[in-house]
Amino acid sequence: MEIKPISRAQQQQLADITPSKDSVLKYYPCQVELKDGTVLDNVYIADYDSYISSYSVLPGDDQLILIEDVIVIHDSPNRLPAKLANKLYNAGESGMGYCVFRLLYDTGDTLDVLTGNAVDFVPSPEDLSVNHIVDVLPHEGSRQDYTEGLSYSWCLYKGVEK
């Protein structure tokens, strides 16, 4: 599969999104609109070379969105604020290939979450959103009674279109 460059228009839209960062990989948690009108709320847009440095293999075809199919890029409505996602990335894995953490909401509510290594897309309890999250506690939370992180897709690009 050929990974194509990001267009200048896409690059400008991506510049409005604050990435989170884990080592060399900048995660851009996005909502994208595709050419066919489909809107996907949970898509990581990332540079191909940085992605491969971190993960070594491409995502499966069912998890990969082609950059040339994306017409509009916005911040994801389900993304953890970048500052809090970075706190989790800096803390590292809770175990081999997974992260457990507790979300703290401004209402006093908490939610224990289990994800893979990518931590940005989180669920919220009824009547709350990611805007209500005030902190995260890495490696805290139940490993038996948890909510799974939201599923997501990847959209990779190689360089900038000329």
Side-chain angles (χ1 to χ4, degrees), residues 52-63:
I52 290 297
S53 288
S54 293
Y55 287 96
S56 301
V57 296
L58 282 174
D61 288 345
D62 61 332
Q63 271 194 305

Side-chain angles (χ1 to χ4, degrees), residues 17-23 25-30 44 55 75-76 78-93 99-104 113 115-122 130 133-139:
I17 297 168
T18 302
S20 52
K21 189 173 182 198
D22 184 16
S23 185
L25 181 57
K26 285 185 182 177
Y27 292 86
Y28 288 89
C30 300
Y44 282 115
Y55 287 96
D75 215 358
S76 171
N78 300 318
R79 80 165 297 183
L80 195 56
K83 173 180 96 170
L84 299 178
N86 287 336
K87 183 176 178 178
L88 293 172
Y89 287 123
N90 289 336
E93 296 176 319
C99 295
V100 173
F101 51 93
R102 181 167 289 147
L103 300 175
L104 305 177
V113 179
T115 68
N117 290 339
V119 300
D120 298 83
F121 296 115
V122 295
V130 293
I133 299 170
V134 294
D135 203 359
V136 294
L137 302 175
H139 314 304

